[in-house]
Structure formats: C-alpha cells, structure tokens
Amino acid sequence: ISVVIVIAATAMGADAMASDSAPGDALYWIKTSKETISLRMPKSDAAKAQEHARLAGERTHEIGQLIDQGKFVEAERHSDQVRRQLAQSAQLVGLRMSTNPIELPPRTVSPISKKDLEDLKSRLRRNSILSSAMLSAYLRTVPPSDREMVMVMKRRSELVYRAMIAVLESGGGGTWPPFYRTEPPRSTGR
C-alpha cells in the first residue's frame, strides 16, 4: 500500500510541477501528454472546441515564457500551435474559415447550442485580449533586432482570433465570395 501511495504522490507532484512548464523543460512532455489524453476523452464537439480554445490560450502563455527566456525563434514556431488549436476548434463547431475547401474540408457536426457558441466566443475574445496585451508588453522590452518577429506574432494572433470570432458572429456559413487580388497592369517592356 505504501508503494502505491508513493507512486501516486510522485505522479501528482510531477503533474503539478509540469503544469507551469514551458517547451524545452524536462516535464513539458507530461503536460502535453495530459492535454492529449484530455482531448481524446469522450466529449461533445462543443466541449472539445472549448478545450482547443483553452489550449490555444495555454500555448500563448508559453509563448510569453519563451520570449522571457530569449527564445524568439521557438516562440514564433510555437505560435503555429496556437493557430492549429484554433483551427481544430473551428472545425469542431462546423466553421469554414477558408474559401478553399481543400484547406478546411466541410465536416458534418452535431448542432451546437447558442450558449456553447457564446461561451466559445467569450473565451476567444478573452484569449485574444490577453495575447495582444502580452505581446504588446514584450514589444517594449525585447531588443530592437527581435521586435519585428514579436510584431508578426502579434498580428498573426490577432488576425486568427478576429477571423474566428467574425465567422462565429456571422453564423459560421463561410459563404462570402472569395478574395480577389488586384495587381497593376504589367509593362510589356516595349
């Protein structure tokens, strides 16, 4: 019995220590493994979308930890995980955020209540504000050579959050016309 108690206490202690770990830390794998298991547990699509949105906020917090450590390239790579989490969340609630169906194929989803969608929008707004505030604060403290990288992370984050919130507010149809790019006439060299 004492061996079981020691093992359980060690596991709980490692879990508690891993909860504040950042990418590259020795216990980070425990944190991500726990998140993966949580996502695989049977839940409704709305609950999974909420979990992905929560994990996007967690990845944003980790970006701040990486910036604190001066690991700007890793922080920028980590921002891709934020976008992937948000894309998963969008897909789970049936949103098409792309005009190209190959990028985000349509999928049948169970109907999601208005309350669940409002909760998701609320979480996304909160994450967006926190992400923007955190990255804005770092813009003032990072060396000039790294400011551009932090600015790009901030803009990309804002764009993804705004796009997802806008699609949620519009009803999630994604039926707007495709974007067109106009270019000035090219000279023929004559």
Side-chain angles (χ1 to χ4, degrees):
I1 295 176
S2 62
V3 171
V4 171
I5 292 171
V6 169
I7 291 173
T10 303
M12 288 190 307
D15 181 43
M17 289 174 34
S19 66
D20 288 332
S21 62
D25 291 348
L27 297 176
Y28 186 69
W29 70 272
I30 294 172
K31 180 180 183 177
T32 57
S33 296
K34 181 181 168 187
E35 292 169 353
T36 302
I37 291 168
S38 172
L39 287 171
R40 292 187 181 180
M41 299 301 284
K43 302 177 193 173
S44 68
D45 284 345
K48 286 181 183 180
Q50 279 282 359
E51 183 70 11
H52 279 290
R54 185 191 68 76
L55 291 176
E58 183 65 31
R59 298 293 89 85
T60 300
H61 175 70
E62 292 168 358
I63 289 170
Q65 291 175 320
L66 290 169
I67 291 173
D68 280 341
Q69 297 170 6
K71 298 178 180 178
F72 297 103
V73 174
E74 290 88 350
E76 186 174 26
R77 280 191 219 129
H78 210 61
S79 67
D80 289 337
Q81 290 184 7
V82 172
R83 288 189 291 281
R84 279 194 297 274
Q85 292 289 351
L86 291 174
Q88 284 287 1
S89 184
Q91 189 175 13
L92 285 164
V93 294
L95 298 180
R96 284 191 52 198
M97 292 181 50
S98 172
T99 56
N100 184 351
I102 293 171
E103 289 177 14
L104 191 62
R107 144 190 200 294
T108 53
V109 294
S110 56
I112 296 173
S113 71
K114 287 187 178 191
K115 182 193 178 308
D116 288 337
L117 286 177
E118 286 302 319
D119 290 346
L120 181 59
K121 281 193 285 188
S122 175
R123 180 178 291 276
L124 292 172
R125 284 187 185 106
R126 199 170 43 248
N127 285 357
S128 176
I129 291 167
L130 292 173
S131 172
S132 182
M134 180 195 68
L135 292 171
S136 293
Y138 284 116
L139 275 174
R140 293 186 283 274
T141 61
V142 298
S145 60
D146 296 317
R147 278 195 187 118
E148 183 65 28
M149 189 178 298
V150 174
M151 179 59 83
V152 168
M153 282 190 283
K154 181 179 182 287
R155 288 179 181 158
R156 284 181 181 164
S157 174
E158 288 173 354
L159 178 65
V160 170
Y161 278 111
R162 284 182 184 180
M164 190 162 172
I165 291 168
V167 172
L168 280 169
E169 288 176 343
S170 71
T175 57
W176 54 83
F179 295 102
Y180 293 98
R181 187 175 83 187
T182 58
E183 295 180 1
R186 296 183 186 188
S187 64
T188 58
R190 293 184 188 177

